[in-house]
Amino acid sequence: MTLRDYDSLSDRVRMHVRASGECFVIVEGPDDELVLKHHLRNVQFFPAAGKPNAIVAARELLRLGISGFACVTDVDFDDLSTYADIENVHYPYEGADLEAMLIGFGVLSLVLEHQGSTVKLEALGGAGGFVDDLVRRTSPISRLRAESARNHWGIAFDRVDLQRYLRQDTLELKVPEYCLALHRESVAAVRESDGDEDPIPHPNVIQESCTDSGAAPGAGSFRGKDVIVFASTALRRMVGSLRQAAADPEILRKQLHSSSGLAISQSIWLGNLKELLGIDPTA
């Protein structure tokens, strides 16, 4: 235990405001700080151990009259009106999450060009075209994530290893098996928390949400972390020949982060964040 474990994020921020004139940014976690800190010199970062904590801290600081900061979070598939009360400081990533924003900036295409087979990628329309195809392939999961958020189903996506339900040779998603696993793990999560099982829909409803092509994706059109799982699977056979350990989604996610510097530095997103913090966008 450290002293930091005994106080709240908002308390730490207030101490920073009293002791220093530096502006500050609240982020979800250490990975966000690592990606952004080199682009924002003389800015203090406060990782919040998750999006809910970051939002709560922003609300508390505004209530205390502290402003002039930014709360940078994923959008996920949330209704953005939920955050209307902190809209002056809430500055989300473009797309559903940080990874989606970086994919939109073209960073995943660059990583695949280095990690994959040039011949295989060219046969599939090049790295950029292949990434577009990966985004399309994740659309069933995006629809389900949007429906779960809209209906407060509480589906436990993070408890299911998506990669287990992808065919290595075709990247086909085994929809029925995946939906059954989501239902099973979601019910288990509710039981473990002593909650009510009723919000978890029947597996057939989950599968229908995946296959309903008319369903709107929500605030974030796709989740970048889902695309990374598809990409890591593809690197083992479809567009590369990496061993399973080398093509682990977490390794690929970190490669995406570490390769993002130039794209972020040239982005309108970063320029607007600097303006929000009162920093010269050209600095």
Side-chain angles (χ1 to χ4, degrees), residues 8 67 106-107 143 162 183 228:
S8 70
S67 58
V107 181
R143 287 193 291 268
L162 172 60
H183 179 267
I228 287 173

Side-chain angles (χ1 to χ4, degrees), residues 24 29 32 34 44 63 66 71 98 101 139 142 144 160 162 168 170 179 185 200 210 215 220 230 254 263 265:
F24 64 93
D32 303 272
L34 194 59
Q44 180 70 39
R63 186 186 67 81
I66 298 173
C71 177
L98 168 60
M101 183 175 81
S139 58
S142 298
L144 180 56
V160 176
L162 172 60
Q168 283 191 35
T170 65
C179 292
E185 291 300 324
I200 307 300
C210 274
F230 275 75
K254 290 186 178 298
S265 69

Side-chain angles (χ1 to χ4, degrees), residues 196-229:
D196 185 357
E197 293 180 25
D198 291 343
I200 307 300
H202 189 275
N204 289 345
V205 175
I206 295 176
Q207 185 170 335
E208 288 170 3
S209 296
C210 274
T211 55
D212 179 9
S213 60
S221 60
F222 66 91
R223 186 173 185 261
K225 293 184 182 70
D226 291 337
V227 176
I228 287 173
V229 173

Side-chain angles (χ1 to χ4, degrees), residues 28 32 51 72-76 78 90 92-93 96-98 225:
E28 292 189 27
D32 303 272
K51 177 179 175 178
V72 177
T73 72
D74 294 340
V75 171
D76 297 313
D78 297 343
H90 188 215
Y93 296 117
D97 53 11
L98 168 60
K225 293 184 182 70

